Amino acid sequence: MPLDPAEFRAALARFASGVTIITTRDAAGRDLGMTATAFASVSLQPPMILVAIDHAATMAQPLEAAEYFAVHILSDSQEGLSRSFARREALDKFDGQPVSRGSGSVPLLHQALVRMECRVQARYPAGDHTIIVGEVLAITLGEDADPLLYYRGRYRHLTP
Protein backbone atom coordinates (compact mmCIF):
# COMPACT_ATOMS: atom_id res chain seq x y z
CA MET A 1 0.00 0.00 0.00
CA PRO A 2 1.53 3.37 -0.99
CA LEU A 3 2.35 5.85 1.71
CA ASP A 4 -0.07 8.77 2.05
CA PRO A 5 1.84 11.97 1.06
CA ALA A 6 -0.03 14.07 3.65
CA GLU A 7 0.87 11.61 6.40
CA PHE A 8 4.51 11.61 5.28
CA ARG A 9 4.59 15.44 5.28
CA ALA A 10 3.02 15.50 8.77
CA ALA A 11 5.63 13.04 10.03
CA LEU A 12 8.52 15.09 8.63
CA ALA A 13 7.07 18.29 10.13
CA ARG A 14 7.67 16.77 13.56
CA PHE A 15 11.42 16.91 13.04
CA ALA A 16 12.80 20.26 14.23
CA SER A 17 15.40 21.67 11.89
CA GLY A 18 17.64 24.66 11.73
CA VAL A 19 16.94 27.37 9.17
CA THR A 20 19.45 28.35 6.50
CA ILE A 21 19.70 30.69 3.56
CA ILE A 22 21.47 29.30 0.51
CA THR A 23 23.03 31.80 -1.89
CA THR A 24 24.68 31.52 -5.27
CA ARG A 25 25.19 33.46 -8.47
CA ASP A 26 23.61 32.49 -11.79
CA ALA A 27 25.33 32.42 -15.19
CA ALA A 28 24.17 36.00 -15.86
CA GLY A 29 25.83 37.21 -12.63
CA ARG A 30 22.61 37.72 -10.64
CA ASP A 31 22.65 37.08 -6.91
CA LEU A 32 20.16 34.43 -5.85
CA GLY A 33 19.09 33.23 -2.43
CA MET A 34 16.50 31.03 -0.78
CA THR A 35 15.50 29.84 2.67
CA ALA A 36 16.00 26.11 3.22
CA THR A 37 15.80 23.59 6.04
CA ALA A 38 17.08 20.59 4.04
CA PHE A 39 20.71 20.86 5.12
CA ALA A 40 23.06 18.36 6.77
CA SER A 41 26.70 17.61 7.40
CA VAL A 42 28.20 14.81 5.30
CA SER A 43 31.89 14.46 6.11
CA LEU A 44 34.56 15.88 8.40
CA GLN A 45 37.49 14.85 6.16
CA PRO A 46 37.13 16.44 3.73
CA PRO A 47 34.61 18.90 5.20
CA MET A 48 31.38 18.42 3.26
CA ILE A 49 27.71 19.35 3.63
CA LEU A 50 24.58 18.76 1.59
CA VAL A 51 21.52 20.76 0.67
CA ALA A 52 18.40 19.36 -0.97
CA ILE A 53 16.58 21.58 -3.45
CA ASP A 54 13.02 21.03 -4.68
CA HIS A 55 12.86 20.89 -8.47
CA ALA A 56 10.03 23.46 -8.32
CA ALA A 57 12.16 26.03 -6.43
CA THR A 58 13.11 29.13 -8.40
CA MET A 59 16.75 28.48 -7.50
CA ALA A 60 16.73 24.82 -8.57
CA GLN A 61 18.18 25.25 -12.05
CA PRO A 62 20.76 27.91 -11.09
CA LEU A 63 21.96 25.80 -8.13
CA GLU A 64 22.12 22.68 -10.28
CA ALA A 65 24.40 24.60 -12.67
CA ALA A 66 26.47 26.49 -10.06
CA GLU A 67 30.04 25.65 -9.15
CA TYR A 68 29.89 27.52 -5.82
CA PHE A 69 27.26 28.30 -3.20
CA ALA A 70 27.10 29.48 0.40
CA VAL A 71 25.02 28.29 3.34
CA HIS A 72 24.09 30.74 6.11
CA ILE A 73 22.78 29.22 9.36
CA LEU A 74 20.39 31.72 10.92
CA SER A 75 20.04 32.90 14.50
CA ASP A 76 16.74 33.25 16.34
CA SER A 77 16.77 37.00 15.64
CA GLN A 78 16.74 36.44 11.85
CA GLU A 79 13.20 35.19 11.31
CA GLY A 80 12.41 38.27 9.19
CA LEU A 81 15.42 37.60 6.96
CA SER A 82 14.34 33.98 6.57
CA ARG A 83 10.82 35.04 5.59
CA SER A 84 12.20 37.51 3.05
CA PHE A 85 14.34 34.86 1.34
CA ALA A 86 11.46 32.34 1.47
CA ARG A 87 9.36 34.46 -0.92
CA ARG A 88 8.97 33.06 -4.42
CA GLU A 89 8.56 36.49 -6.02
CA ALA A 90 11.41 37.72 -8.17
CA LEU A 91 11.95 40.80 -6.00
CA ASP A 92 15.55 41.55 -5.07
CA LYS A 93 15.88 39.61 -1.84
CA PHE A 94 19.28 41.20 -1.23
CA ASP A 95 17.92 44.76 -1.25
CA GLY A 96 19.08 46.48 1.92
CA GLN A 97 21.26 43.54 2.97
CA PRO A 98 24.99 44.05 3.43
CA VAL A 99 26.71 41.58 1.11
CA SER A 100 30.32 40.63 0.55
CA ARG A 101 31.71 38.21 -2.04
CA GLY A 102 32.94 34.71 -1.44
CA SER A 103 34.31 31.84 -3.49
CA GLY A 104 33.06 32.05 -7.07
CA SER A 105 31.82 35.57 -6.25
CA VAL A 106 28.74 34.18 -4.44
CA PRO A 107 26.91 36.67 -2.22
CA LEU A 108 27.68 36.34 1.48
CA LEU A 109 25.16 37.69 3.96
CA HIS A 110 26.44 39.22 7.17
CA GLN A 111 25.46 38.37 10.75
CA ALA A 112 24.61 34.67 10.34
CA LEU A 113 25.41 32.24 13.15
CA VAL A 114 27.63 30.39 10.68
CA ARG A 115 28.46 30.98 7.05
CA MET A 116 29.99 28.27 4.85
CA GLU A 117 31.38 28.82 1.38
CA CYS A 118 31.20 25.65 -0.71
CA ARG A 119 32.31 24.22 -4.03
CA VAL A 120 29.91 21.71 -5.56
CA GLN A 121 31.33 18.17 -5.47
CA ALA A 122 28.33 16.12 -6.56
CA ARG A 123 24.67 16.30 -7.49
CA TYR A 124 22.19 13.45 -7.04
CA PRO A 125 18.60 13.27 -8.29
CA ALA A 126 16.33 12.20 -5.45
CA GLY A 127 12.60 12.13 -6.19
CA ASP A 128 11.33 15.69 -6.47
CA HIS A 129 14.61 17.14 -5.14
CA THR A 130 18.26 17.34 -6.13
CA ILE A 131 20.84 16.70 -3.44
CA ILE A 132 23.84 18.96 -3.83
CA VAL A 133 27.00 17.99 -1.95
CA GLY A 134 29.47 20.76 -1.35
CA GLU A 135 33.01 20.80 -0.05
CA VAL A 136 33.32 23.53 2.56
CA LEU A 137 36.11 25.91 1.55
CA ALA A 138 35.69 28.56 4.24
CA ILE A 139 33.73 29.04 7.45
CA THR A 140 32.82 32.25 9.25
CA LEU A 141 31.54 31.87 12.80
CA GLY A 142 29.22 34.74 13.66
CA GLU A 143 27.45 35.92 16.74
CA ASP A 144 27.01 33.64 19.72
CA ALA A 145 23.22 33.26 19.76
CA ASP A 146 20.50 30.64 19.68
CA PRO A 147 19.54 29.14 16.30
CA LEU A 148 16.32 29.81 14.43
CA LEU A 149 14.29 26.59 14.28
CA TYR A 150 11.45 25.32 12.12
CA TYR A 151 9.00 22.81 13.56
CA ARG A 152 5.48 21.75 12.50
CA GLY A 153 5.25 24.46 9.86
CA ARG A 154 6.27 27.35 12.10
CA TYR A 155 9.39 29.17 13.22
CA ARG A 156 10.39 28.26 16.76
CA HIS A 157 12.87 29.54 19.28
CA LEU A 158 14.75 27.77 22.05
CA THR A 159 13.54 28.51 25.54
CA PRO A 160 15.75 28.42 28.62
Side-chain angles (χ1 to χ4, degrees):
M1 177 172 173
L3 197 60
D4 174 29
E7 183 179 30
F8 185 57
R9 180 179 281 272
L12 294 177
R14 293 177 186 212
F15 180 72
S17 61
V19 181
T20 70
I21 292 176
I22 301 166
T23 60
T24 195
R25 214 156 191 212
D26 69 10
R30 289 180 298 229
D31 292 340
L32 301 171
M34 67 176 279
T35 299
T37 57
F39 161 82
S41 62
V42 173
S43 169
L44 291 175
Q45 289 299 324
M48 300 176 101
I49 56 93
L50 70 77
V51 294
I53 307 300
D54 188 322
H55 294 156
T58 56
M59 271 186 59
Q61 287 183 339
L63 261 174
E64 288 174 12
E67 184 178 355
Y68 296 94
F69 66 97
V71 175
H72 307 77
I73 299 173
L74 301 185
S75 73
D76 64 353
S77 67
Q78 294 177 303
E79 182 178 330
L81 184 63
S82 173
R83 287 183 186 281
S84 174
F85 275 83
R87 294 186 321 231
R88 293 188 62 89
E89 300 91 42
L91 302 172
D92 185 2
K93 296 176 182 180
F94 294 89
D95 190 34
Q97 294 299 322
V99 173
S100 53
R101 296 285 161 196
S103 302
S105 204
V106 299
L108 301 176
L109 300 168
H110 298 192
Q111 301 175 344
L113 275 178
V114 177
R115 185 174 65 212
M116 291 178 253
E117 298 174 50
C118 303
R119 179 176 38 239
V120 174
Q121 292 301 304
R123 293 177 182 87
Y124 302 100
D128 58 6
H129 280 61
T130 297
I131 297 169
I132 301 171
V133 177
E135 180 180 3
V136 179
L137 304 174
I139 294 175
T140 302
L141 298 177
E143 61 185 285
D144 185 16
D146 287 337
L148 181 60
L149 301 175
Y150 199 72
Y151 177 72
R152 296 188 89 169
R154 295 187 355 201
Y155 290 99
R156 304 295 178 120
H157 304 273
L158 293 178
T159 55

Short mmCIF file of all heavy atoms in Angstrom, two decimals, residues 93-134:
data_model
loop_
_atom_site.label_atom_id
_atom_site.label_comp_id
_atom_site.label_asym_id
_atom_site.label_seq_id
_atom_site.Cartn_x
_atom_site.Cartn_y
_atom_site.Cartn_z
N LYS A 93 15.84 40.02 -3.24
CA LYS A 93 15.88 39.61 -1.84
C LYS A 93 17.08 40.20 -1.11
O LYS A 93 17.11 40.23 0.12
CB LYS A 93 15.90 38.08 -1.76
CG LYS A 93 14.64 37.45 -2.32
CD LYS A 93 14.73 35.95 -2.32
CE LYS A 93 13.49 35.34 -2.93
NZ LYS A 93 13.54 33.89 -2.96
N PHE A 94 18.07 40.65 -1.84
CA PHE A 94 19.28 41.20 -1.23
C PHE A 94 19.18 42.69 -0.97
O PHE A 94 20.09 43.28 -0.39
CB PHE A 94 20.49 40.91 -2.13
CG PHE A 94 20.82 39.44 -2.22
CD1 PHE A 94 20.24 38.66 -3.20
CD2 PHE A 94 21.68 38.84 -1.32
CE1 PHE A 94 20.51 37.30 -3.29
CE2 PHE A 94 21.97 37.50 -1.40
CZ PHE A 94 21.38 36.72 -2.38
N ASP A 95 18.09 43.32 -1.41
CA ASP A 95 17.92 44.76 -1.25
C ASP A 95 18.00 45.14 0.22
O ASP A 95 17.28 44.59 1.05
CB ASP A 95 16.57 45.20 -1.84
CG ASP A 95 16.45 46.70 -1.93
OD1 ASP A 95 17.48 47.37 -2.18
OD2 ASP A 95 15.33 47.20 -1.76
N GLY A 96 18.90 46.02 0.55
CA GLY A 96 19.08 46.48 1.92
C GLY A 96 19.94 45.57 2.78
O GLY A 96 20.16 45.86 3.95
N GLN A 97 20.42 44.47 2.22
CA GLN A 97 21.26 43.54 2.97
C GLN A 97 22.72 43.78 2.68
O GLN A 97 23.11 43.83 1.50
CB GLN A 97 20.93 42.09 2.59
CG GLN A 97 19.56 41.62 2.97
CD GLN A 97 19.34 41.68 4.46
OE1 GLN A 97 20.22 41.39 5.27
NE2 GLN A 97 18.14 42.07 4.85
N PRO A 98 23.55 43.96 3.70
CA PRO A 98 24.99 44.05 3.43
C PRO A 98 25.49 42.72 2.88
O PRO A 98 25.17 41.66 3.41
CB PRO A 98 25.61 44.35 4.80
CG PRO A 98 24.53 44.19 5.80
CD PRO A 98 23.22 44.05 5.10
N VAL A 99 26.22 42.77 1.79
CA VAL A 99 26.71 41.58 1.11
C VAL A 99 28.18 41.74 0.80
O VAL A 99 28.62 42.81 0.38
CB VAL A 99 25.92 41.33 -0.20
CG1 VAL A 99 26.52 40.20 -1.01
CG2 VAL A 99 24.46 41.05 0.10
N SER A 100 28.93 40.68 1.02
CA SER A 100 30.32 40.63 0.55
C SER A 100 30.39 39.46 -0.44
O SER A 100 29.40 38.79 -0.69
CB SER A 100 31.29 40.47 1.71
OG SER A 100 30.94 39.38 2.52
N ARG A 101 31.55 39.25 -1.03
CA ARG A 101 31.71 38.21 -2.04
C ARG A 101 32.59 37.09 -1.52
O ARG A 101 33.62 37.32 -0.89
CB ARG A 101 32.33 38.78 -3.32
CG ARG A 101 31.45 39.81 -3.98
CD ARG A 101 30.30 39.15 -4.68
NE ARG A 101 29.25 40.14 -4.93
CZ ARG A 101 28.02 39.83 -5.23
NH1 ARG A 101 27.66 38.57 -5.34
NH2 ARG A 101 27.13 40.76 -5.43
N GLY A 102 32.18 35.87 -1.84
CA GLY A 102 32.94 34.71 -1.44
C GLY A 102 33.48 33.95 -2.64
O GLY A 102 33.56 34.50 -3.74
N SER A 103 33.80 32.71 -2.43
CA SER A 103 34.31 31.84 -3.49
C SER A 103 33.35 31.85 -4.68
O SER A 103 32.15 31.76 -4.51
CB SER A 103 34.45 30.41 -2.98
OG SER A 103 35.30 30.36 -1.86
N GLY A 104 33.90 32.00 -5.88
CA GLY A 104 33.06 32.05 -7.07
C GLY A 104 32.21 33.29 -7.12
O GLY A 104 31.23 33.34 -7.85
N SER A 105 32.53 34.29 -6.31
CA SER A 105 31.82 35.57 -6.25
C SER A 105 30.38 35.43 -5.72
O SER A 105 29.54 36.29 -5.97
CB SER A 105 31.82 36.25 -7.62
OG SER A 105 31.66 37.63 -7.47
N VAL A 106 30.09 34.33 -4.99
CA VAL A 106 28.74 34.18 -4.44
C VAL A 106 28.50 35.24 -3.38
O VAL A 106 29.41 35.68 -2.69
CB VAL A 106 28.49 32.76 -3.86
CG1 VAL A 106 28.61 31.70 -4.92
CG2 VAL A 106 29.37 32.48 -2.68
N PRO A 107 27.23 35.67 -3.24
CA PRO A 107 26.91 36.67 -2.22
C PRO A 107 26.95 36.05 -0.82
O PRO A 107 26.44 34.95 -0.61
CB PRO A 107 25.50 37.12 -2.59
CG PRO A 107 24.92 35.99 -3.37
CD PRO A 107 26.07 35.31 -4.05
N LEU A 108 27.59 36.77 0.08
CA LEU A 108 27.68 36.34 1.48
C LEU A 108 26.93 37.34 2.34
O LEU A 108 27.27 38.53 2.36
CB LEU A 108 29.13 36.26 1.92
CG LEU A 108 30.03 35.31 1.13
CD1 LEU A 108 31.47 35.42 1.62
CD2 LEU A 108 29.53 33.88 1.21
N LEU A 109 25.91 36.85 3.04
CA LEU A 109 25.16 37.69 3.96
C LEU A 109 25.95 37.86 5.25
O LEU A 109 26.68 36.96 5.65
CB LEU A 109 23.80 37.06 4.25
CG LEU A 109 22.90 36.85 3.03
CD1 LEU A 109 21.72 35.97 3.39
CD2 LEU A 109 22.44 38.19 2.48
N HIS A 110 25.74 38.96 5.91
CA HIS A 110 26.44 39.22 7.17
C HIS A 110 25.54 38.80 8.33
O HIS A 110 24.35 38.63 8.18
CB HIS A 110 26.77 40.69 7.28
CG HIS A 110 27.71 41.16 6.20
ND1 HIS A 110 28.34 42.36 6.21
CD2 HIS A 110 28.12 40.56 5.04
CE1 HIS A 110 29.10 42.49 5.14
NE2 HIS A 110 28.97 41.41 4.41
N GLN A 111 26.14 38.60 9.48
CA GLN A 111 25.46 38.37 10.75
C GLN A 111 24.76 37.01 10.88
O GLN A 111 23.85 36.86 11.67
CB GLN A 111 24.47 39.49 11.05
CG GLN A 111 25.15 40.84 11.13
CD GLN A 111 24.17 41.98 11.31
OE1 GLN A 111 22.98 41.83 11.08
NE2 GLN A 111 24.67 43.13 11.71
N ALA A 112 25.14 36.02 10.14
CA ALA A 112 24.61 34.67 10.34
C ALA A 112 25.33 34.02 11.52
O ALA A 112 26.43 34.43 11.88
CB ALA A 112 24.81 33.84 9.08
N LEU A 113 24.72 33.01 12.11
CA LEU A 113 25.41 32.24 13.15
C LEU A 113 26.67 31.61 12.58
O LEU A 113 27.73 31.63 13.20
CB LEU A 113 24.51 31.11 13.66
CG LEU A 113 23.51 31.40 14.74
CD1 LEU A 113 22.70 30.16 15.05
CD2 LEU A 113 24.16 31.95 15.97
N VAL A 114 26.52 31.02 11.39
CA VAL A 114 27.63 30.39 10.68
C VAL A 114 27.42 30.63 9.20
O VAL A 114 26.29 30.60 8.71
CB VAL A 114 27.67 28.86 10.94
CG1 VAL A 114 28.78 28.20 10.14
CG2 VAL A 114 27.80 28.55 12.41
N ARG A 115 28.51 30.85 8.51
CA ARG A 115 28.46 30.98 7.05
C ARG A 115 29.50 30.03 6.48
O ARG A 115 30.65 30.01 6.94
CB ARG A 115 28.76 32.42 6.66
CG ARG A 115 28.63 32.70 5.20
CD ARG A 115 28.79 34.17 4.90
NE ARG A 115 30.14 34.61 5.23
CZ ARG A 115 30.45 35.83 5.66
NH1 ARG A 115 29.51 36.73 5.84
NH2 ARG A 115 31.69 36.15 5.91
N MET A 116 29.08 29.23 5.49
CA MET A 116 29.99 28.27 4.85
C MET A 116 30.01 28.52 3.35
O MET A 116 28.96 28.53 2.72
CB MET A 116 29.52 26.84 5.12
CG MET A 116 29.69 26.43 6.56
SD MET A 116 29.09 24.76 6.82
CE MET A 116 27.60 25.15 7.71
N GLU A 117 31.20 28.69 2.83
CA GLU A 117 31.38 28.82 1.38
C GLU A 117 31.74 27.44 0.85
O GLU A 117 32.62 26.77 1.39
CB GLU A 117 32.50 29.80 1.07
CG GLU A 117 32.22 31.20 1.58
CD GLU A 117 33.42 32.11 1.40
OE1 GLU A 117 33.98 32.15 0.28
OE2 GLU A 117 33.80 32.77 2.39
N CYS A 118 31.06 27.02 -0.22
CA CYS A 118 31.20 25.65 -0.71
C CYS A 118 31.43 25.60 -2.21
O CYS A 118 30.93 26.43 -2.96
CB CYS A 118 29.92 24.87 -0.40
SG CYS A 118 29.47 24.84 1.34
N ARG A 119 32.16 24.56 -2.62
CA ARG A 119 32.31 24.22 -4.03
C ARG A 119 31.55 22.91 -4.25
O ARG A 119 31.72 21.95 -3.50
CB ARG A 119 33.78 24.04 -4.41
CG ARG A 119 33.96 23.67 -5.89
CD ARG A 119 35.41 23.55 -6.34
NE ARG A 119 36.28 22.96 -5.36
CZ ARG A 119 37.36 23.57 -4.84
NH1 ARG A 119 37.70 24.77 -5.21
NH2 ARG A 119 38.10 22.95 -3.95
N VAL A 120 30.71 22.90 -5.28
CA VAL A 120 29.91 21.71 -5.56
C VAL A 120 30.82 20.53 -5.89
O VAL A 120 31.72 20.64 -6.72
CB VAL A 120 28.92 21.97 -6.71
CG1 VAL A 120 28.19 20.69 -7.10
CG2 VAL A 120 27.92 23.06 -6.33
N GLN A 121 30.58 19.40 -5.22
CA GLN A 121 31.33 18.17 -5.47
C GLN A 121 30.50 17.12 -6.17
O GLN A 121 31.04 16.29 -6.91
CB GLN A 121 31.85 17.60 -4.14
CG GLN A 121 32.91 18.46 -3.50
CD GLN A 121 34.11 18.64 -4.41
OE1 GLN A 121 34.72 17.67 -4.85
NE2 GLN A 121 34.45 19.88 -4.70
N ALA A 122 29.19 17.14 -5.94
CA ALA A 122 28.33 16.12 -6.56
C ALA A 122 26.88 16.60 -6.52
O ALA A 122 26.51 17.40 -5.67
CB ALA A 122 28.46 14.79 -5.83
N ARG A 123 26.11 16.07 -7.45
CA ARG A 123 24.67 16.30 -7.49
C ARG A 123 23.99 14.95 -7.69
O ARG A 123 24.44 14.15 -8.51
CB ARG A 123 24.30 17.23 -8.65
CG ARG A 123 24.81 18.64 -8.48
CD ARG A 123 24.44 19.48 -9.73
NE ARG A 123 24.96 20.82 -9.61
CZ ARG A 123 26.18 21.20 -9.99
NH1 ARG A 123 27.01 20.33 -10.53
NH2 ARG A 123 26.56 22.45 -9.84
N TYR A 124 22.90 14.72 -6.95
CA TYR A 124 22.19 13.45 -7.04
C TYR A 124 20.69 13.71 -7.18
O TYR A 124 20.11 14.38 -6.32
CB TYR A 124 22.43 12.60 -5.79
CG TYR A 124 23.87 12.30 -5.52
CD1 TYR A 124 24.59 13.03 -4.57
CD2 TYR A 124 24.54 11.30 -6.22
CE1 TYR A 124 25.93 12.76 -4.33
CE2 TYR A 124 25.88 11.03 -5.98
CZ TYR A 124 26.56 11.77 -5.03
OH TYR A 124 27.89 11.50 -4.79
N PRO A 125 20.06 13.18 -8.22
CA PRO A 125 18.60 13.27 -8.29
C PRO A 125 18.00 12.40 -7.19
O PRO A 125 18.48 11.30 -6.94
CB PRO A 125 18.27 12.75 -9.68
CG PRO A 125 19.44 11.92 -10.09
CD PRO A 125 20.63 12.44 -9.35
N ALA A 126 16.98 12.94 -6.53
CA ALA A 126 16.33 12.20 -5.45
C ALA A 126 14.86 12.57 -5.42
O ALA A 126 14.46 13.54 -4.77
CB ALA A 126 17.00 12.50 -4.11
N GLY A 127 14.03 11.84 -6.15
CA GLY A 127 12.60 12.13 -6.19
C GLY A 127 12.35 13.51 -6.76
O GLY A 127 12.84 13.84 -7.83
N ASP A 128 11.64 14.34 -6.00
CA ASP A 128 11.33 15.69 -6.47
C ASP A 128 12.37 16.73 -6.05
O ASP A 128 12.15 17.93 -6.17
CB ASP A 128 9.93 16.13 -6.02
CG ASP A 128 9.74 16.09 -4.51
OD1 ASP A 128 10.71 15.84 -3.77
OD2 ASP A 128 8.60 16.33 -4.06
N HIS A 129 13.52 16.26 -5.57
CA HIS A 129 14.61 17.14 -5.14
C HIS A 129 15.91 16.74 -5.84
O HIS A 129 16.03 15.64 -6.38
CB HIS A 129 14.84 17.04 -3.63
CG HIS A 129 13.87 17.84 -2.82
ND1 HIS A 129 12.52 17.61 -2.84
CD2 HIS A 129 14.07 18.87 -1.96
CE1 HIS A 129 11.92 18.47 -2.02
NE2 HIS A 129 12.84 19.24 -1.48
N THR A 130 16.87 17.64 -5.77
CA THR A 130 18.26 17.34 -6.13
C THR A 130 19.09 17.55 -4.88
O THR A 130 18.96 18.58 -4.21
CB THR A 130 18.77 18.26 -7.26
OG1 THR A 130 17.99 18.01 -8.43
CG2 THR A 130 20.23 17.99 -7.57
N ILE A 131 19.91 16.57 -4.56
CA ILE A 131 20.84 16.70 -3.44
C ILE A 131 22.14 17.25 -4.00
O ILE A 131 22.71 16.68 -4.94
CB ILE A 131 21.07 15.34 -2.76
CG1 ILE A 131 19.76 14.83 -2.16
CG2 ILE A 131 22.17 15.44 -1.69
CD1 ILE A 131 19.82 13.39 -1.70
N ILE A 132 22.59 18.34 -3.41
CA ILE A 132 23.84 18.96 -3.83
C ILE A 132 24.84 18.83 -2.68
O ILE A 132 24.58 19.32 -1.58
CB ILE A 132 23.63 20.44 -4.23
CG1 ILE A 132 22.62 20.52 -5.37
CG2 ILE A 132 24.95 21.10 -4.60
CD1 ILE A 132 22.16 21.91 -5.71
N VAL A 133 25.94 18.17 -2.95
CA VAL A 133 27.00 17.99 -1.95
C VAL A 133 28.08 19.02 -2.23
O VAL A 133 28.54 19.16 -3.37
CB VAL A 133 27.59 16.57 -2.01
CG1 VAL A 133 28.74 16.41 -1.02
CG2 VAL A 133 26.50 15.53 -1.75
N GLY A 134 28.45 19.75 -1.20
CA GLY A 134 29.47 20.76 -1.35
C GLY A 134 30.63 20.56 -0.41
O GLY A 134 30.44 20.19 0.76
#
